[in-house]
């Protein structure tokens, strides 16, 4: 894929990312990974890095993938093309929303987008969870044995996830601490 085609791919992703950058993960997976530009492992590593760095995840992913494939110019251009549809749409909405914000069709459209966006955010969250904690067996028949079930999960990662969830939700640990712990765990364990 040429740099120009990659830029227009990110324009497409930015255009149809309704609900925030997390929704872009699904579109990026379908367009970038499905075309074979990066492997699923590289993609999920990029998701982890993009989620742990400051800024919108969609822009971070665009920058990372663009840089990974085409260096600094690729990172800059893919970031611009990822953000461009949002800027254009916000300018158009700002111009016309004051006239139509009480319109029942506008209210209905916005009410419809809320559950759709929730589903689009849930899909990549579940995919990352499964990718990180579940070891899919080469043959599904292996699940019929007791050893198959024992080996289904990455028990160390699952235990680390449980500890982090406990720290975050019960002890109210700061999210930065969880990010640092995750980075240290990733470096030491993998």
């Amino acid at each position: 894929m040429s740099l120009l085609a990659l830029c227009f791919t990110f324009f497409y992703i930015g255009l149809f990312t309704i609900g925030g950058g997390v929704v872009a993960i699904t579109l990026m997976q379908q367009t970038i990974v499905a075309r074979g530009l990066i492997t699923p492992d590289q993609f999920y590593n990029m998701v982890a890095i993009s989620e742990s760095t400051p800024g919108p995840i969609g822009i971070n992913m665009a920058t990372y993938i663009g840089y990974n494939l085409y260096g600094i110019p690729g990172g800059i251009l893919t970031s611009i093309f990822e953000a461009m549809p949002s800027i254009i749409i916000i300018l158009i909405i700002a111009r016309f929303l004051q006239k139509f914000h009480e319109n029942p069709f506008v209210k209905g459209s916005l009410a419809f987008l809320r559950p759709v966006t929730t589903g689009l955010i849930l899909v990549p969250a579940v995919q990352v969870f499964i990718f990180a904690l579940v070891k899919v067996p080469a043959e599904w028949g292996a699940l019929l044995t007791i050893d198959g079930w024992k080996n289904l999960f990455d028990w160390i990662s699952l235990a680390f996830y449980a500890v982090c969830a406990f720290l975050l939700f019960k002890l109210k640990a700061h999210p930065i601490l969880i990010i640092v712990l995750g980075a240290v765990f990733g470096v030491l364990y993998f």
Side-chain angles (χ1 to χ4, degrees), residues 93 96-108 110:
I93 289 173
F96 295 106
L97 187 61
Q98 291 300 331
K99 294 179 184 178
F100 300 107
H101 75 281
E102 291 299 322
N103 184 315
F105 293 112
V106 172
K107 283 185 173 182
L110 293 176

Side-chain angles (χ1 to χ4, degrees), residues 16 26 46 48 50 53 67 73 94 107 113 133-134 139 164 166-167:
F16 291 103
T26 303
M46 288 180 188
S50 295
T53 54
Y67 177 79
K107 283 185 173 182
L113 288 175
L133 301 175
V134 177
E139 295 181 21
C164 287
F166 177 78
L167 289 172

Side-chain angles (χ1 to χ4, degrees), residues 15 45-46 58 93 99 123 143 145 152 155 157 176 184 190:
L15 185 62
N45 287 335
M46 288 180 188
I93 289 173
K99 294 179 184 178
V123 168
L143 290 178
T145 66
L152 181 60
W155 293 104
S157 294
I176 297 293
V184 171
F190 296 103

Side-chain angles (χ1 to χ4, degrees), residues 92-157:
I92 292 169
I93 289 173
R95 174 86 172 120
F96 295 106
L97 187 61
Q98 291 300 331
K99 294 179 184 178
F100 300 107
H101 75 281
E102 291 299 322
N103 184 315
F105 293 112
V106 172
K107 283 185 173 182
S109 296
L110 293 176
F112 171 75
L113 288 175
R114 286 184 195 111
V116 169
T117 302
T118 302
L120 288 172
I121 291 171
L122 188 61
V123 168
V126 169
Q127 287 176 334
V128 168
F129 183 84
I130 290 171
F131 179 79
L133 301 175
V134 177
K135 297 181 199 173
V136 178
E139 295 181 21
W140 288 99
L143 290 178
L144 299 176
T145 66
I146 292 179
D147 286 337
W149 282 101
K150 287 181 188 175
N151 295 329
L152 181 60
F153 296 101
D154 181 350
W155 293 104
I156 295 172
S157 294

